[in-house]
Amino acid sequence: MSGTLQRRLVSKNGHNNVKIDNVEGMVKLYLHDIWTTVVDIKWRYKLTLFVCTFLGTWFIFGVLFYLIAMSNGDLGQTPESNHTPCVMNVGTLTGAYLFSLESQTTIGYGFRHISEECPLAIFTLVVQLVFTGLAEIFVTAAFLAKLARPKKRAETVIFSQSAVICWHRGQTCLMVRVANMRKSLLIQCQVSGKLLAPYVTQEGEKILLHQEPVDFRLDSSQECPFLLLPLTFYHVLDENSPLASLTEENLNSRDFELVVTLNATMESTASTCQSRTSYLPQEFRWGYDFKPLVFSTPGGRYITDFDHFDEVEKRNEPLLLQNVEMIKLQMEEEYRKE
């Protein structure tokens, strides 16, 4: 794979790189789930929708009031006449628009108002207040939902730019580093992975992205109670691992993508969030380990220096020699026990 561009399913910042194309009735599908569509759209479109909702309803009902005034013969009447208009002091479309705006925003200057002798105008006002009230609730709720989306919280969780493979706890391990950039805790954190690689079945079927689970652990469990300090999660490259055949020699020639996902619960809101990243073979560092980034101070506090977050250091001995030496020590220990 060296010298060629390898595509990603998931970008480094967690966004998916899948383009959906040639879907019949896409607009209809989006309109059926209008709530999710409005929440997912970009902020510039959401602000446009917010402004158009108010301007549109003001203008539409202003036109209706103007038509009611026209049908009732209110236009062109002199103040001295005995004719009672449907809407007082509305003689132009601009006046009708201002009356619609004042009614919907409950400004109510008192200069323009509905008379008691025009039921149609009263009914139109009631419909306007009910309809625009529902529209305002929908648009406002969509704003709050987008602001409170766990996706924004997930953006404050970062992964190391590279993954390292080294000797850890007597085994060859693949390790990634994860950190929470906020002081508010993430609880019940769990890191999992998916290995995406081309695969050919026994029947000869070619699968472009075959998925295999990659389990990550922290010390002796797959979950950590909370993410306070930057933590290093590791995956053991044993015979059960989908990366068991990975070596330093064939690393750069392999074709795969490792997608790493962090699922956690926000302590402040109790809602769940998910953060993702991915690693290509050229982003693996064989025989390296992460540099320490947590230090203690004389005052009894801990400091996390994120200048060292992505820094790695070479192990003193090659990984292969470490593996052989550890195996020898284990065999000697078993021999003594016998």
Side-chain angles (χ1 to χ4, degrees):
M1 293 299 296
S2 59
T4 61
L5 176 63
Q6 186 171 355
R7 295 176 176 84
R8 291 180 183 270
L9 182 69
V10 178
S11 64
K12 294 297 288 185
N13 57 8
H15 297 154
N16 71 78
N17 292 328
V18 179
K19 180 182 178 181
I20 302 176
D21 199 6
N22 298 326
V23 179
E24 185 178 356
M26 175 65 76
V27 176
K28 185 178 180 180
L29 293 174
Y30 273 70
L31 291 179
H32 278 176
D33 189 10
I34 187 65
W35 171 254
T36 305
T37 302
V38 173
V39 173
D40 285 343
I41 60 177
K42 297 181 179 180
W43 276 109
R44 55 180 177 268
Y45 302 128
K46 192 180 294 291
L47 291 173
T48 302
L49 176 64
F50 183 81
V51 173
C52 290
T53 299
F54 284 95
L55 295 180
T57 52
W58 293 341
F59 180 76
I60 290 173
F61 283 97
V63 171
L64 291 178
F65 284 119
Y66 181 76
L67 294 176
I68 292 173
M70 181 184 296
S71 63
N72 195 46
D74 300 341
L75 306 180
Q77 295 291 333
T78 61
E80 294 80 11
S81 64
N82 295 327
H83 177 76
T84 302
C86 284
V87 183
M88 306 299 293
N89 301 312
V90 171
T92 62
L93 181 60
T94 303
Y97 175 81
L98 292 174
F99 172 73
S100 174
L101 185 153
E102 294 167 10
S103 301
Q104 186 171 329
T105 57
T106 65
I107 296 175
Y109 291 120
F111 180 71
R112 300 177 181 87
H113 57 88
I114 295 178
S115 64
E116 299 177 357
E117 300 181 6
C118 192
L120 180 59
I122 297 174
F123 175 78
T124 304
L125 178 62
V126 172
V127 172
Q128 178 186 10
L129 296 179
V130 172
F131 175 80
T132 56
L134 293 175
E136 291 172 11
I137 290 173
F138 181 85
V139 174
T140 305
F143 260 83
L144 295 177
K146 192 172 183 66
L147 288 172
R149 291 182 74 183
K151 178 181 178 181
K152 297 300 180 182
R153 180 63 177 90
E155 292 178 355
T156 57
V157 176
I158 61 173
F159 293 85
S160 56
Q161 290 296 313
S162 59
V164 299
I165 300 176
C166 62
W167 191 251
H168 178 72
R169 294 181 178 271
Q171 295 173 304
T172 305
C173 296
L174 162 67
M175 297 190 289
V176 296
R177 181 178 272 175
V178 185
N180 176 22
M181 303 300 291
R182 285 185 177 270
K183 288 187 176 181
S184 58
L185 295 180
L186 291 173
I187 58 178
Q188 297 178 354
C189 304
Q190 185 174 10
V191 174
S192 60
K194 284 288 185 180
L195 183 68
L196 310 175
Y199 181 75
V200 180
T201 63
Q202 295 180 353
E203 295 78 16
E205 179 185 0
K206 295 181 180 180
I207 302 176
L208 181 61
L209 292 174
H210 177 67
Q211 300 187 25
E212 292 186 84
V214 178
D215 61 295
F216 281 88
R217 310 180 68 86
L218 177 68
D219 296 331
S220 59
S221 64
Q222 293 183 339
E223 291 187 5
C224 66
F226 55 84
L227 187 58
L228 179 60
L229 296 172
L231 298 176
T232 300
F233 291 82
Y234 67 92
H235 165 73
V236 180
L237 299 180
D238 55 12
E239 63 277 3
N240 298 320
S241 171
L243 293 170
S245 61
L246 193 65
T247 64
E248 184 176 7
E249 289 73 22
N250 67 13
L251 176 60
N252 293 327
S253 61
R254 295 285 295 271
D255 181 13
F256 67 85
E257 177 182 356
L258 176 62
V259 178
V260 181
T261 304
L262 170 71
N263 294 291
T265 302
M266 293 184 289
E267 186 184 41
S268 55
T269 62
S271 57
T272 58
C273 67
Q274 185 181 91
S275 184
R276 297 175 297 273
T277 190
S278 73
Y279 298 95
L280 298 179
Q282 57 265 30
E283 294 169 340
F284 284 70
R285 306 296 299 275
W286 191 280
Y288 285 80
D289 196 2
F290 291 111
K291 284 187 177 181
L293 74 163
V294 179
F295 309 95
S296 60
T297 64
R301 302 184 64 182
Y302 290 95
I303 296 179
T304 303
D305 187 358
F306 278 93
D307 285 339
H308 304 294
F309 183 77
D310 290 313
E311 293 184 0
V312 296
E313 56 186 358
K314 186 74 174 179
R315 285 291 180 91
N316 293 331
E317 298 180 9
L319 183 60
L320 180 60
L321 295 180
Q322 291 184 17
N323 294 354
V324 173
E325 189 65 26
M326 184 61 66
I327 293 174
K328 289 182 178 179
L329 292 176
Q330 291 177 353
M331 294 178 63
E332 292 178 359
E333 185 68 23
E334 293 176 356
Y335 180 75
R336 292 192 189 99
K337 289 181 180 179
E338 293 177 356

